[in-house]
Every structure is written in C-alpha cells, then in structure tokens.
Amino acid sequence: MHHIEIRRPKTEDSAELHELFNEVITDTFHKEGLSDMVNDIQIEIESQEQD
C-alpha cells in the first residue's frame, strides 16, 4: 500500500506541480479534440506556472 499525504504544496513542490499542470492541460486539450492548438496549450501552461 502506498503512503499518501494530503497537504498544502510547499515551495520545493513547484517543479512537480508544473509537471502535473502540463500533463493535465495537454491531456484536456487532447480529449476535447484541440490538441492541434499547440500555441494555446503553451499559453495555458505558462499562465498556470505564474500562479
């Protein structure tokens, strides 16, 4: 069984969170049939990384 800890993200978690956002945003665009909108995907990913 895996140990799962639920907590607020720490500063050192930012790289992993950016990777997660990248995966989720790219997958969502793909599932919506919008995977050819590469520029829009990149803009969305960059906007999430700034928050």
Side-chain angles (χ1 to χ4, degrees):
M1 206 26 98
H2 295 286
H3 174 75
I4 298 173
E5 179 182 351
I6 300 173
R7 61 173 170 76
R8 291 195 175 274
K10 297 179 182 176
T11 303
E12 58 266 18
D13 297 328
S14 65
E16 291 170 330
L17 287 172
H18 291 204
E19 186 178 325
L20 173 64
F21 289 143
N22 189 336
E23 280 292 319
V24 170
I25 292 167
T26 303
D27 185 60
T28 300
F29 271 76
H30 176 71
K31 286 181 178 177
E32 296 294 325
L34 305 171
S35 53
D36 59 329
M37 300 177 71
V38 178
N39 190 42
D40 291 337
I41 294 170
Q42 190 59 38
I43 290 170
E44 184 66 26
I45 290 168
E46 289 172 3
S47 73
Q48 292 299 319
E49 289 178 351
Q50 292 175 6
D51 292 341

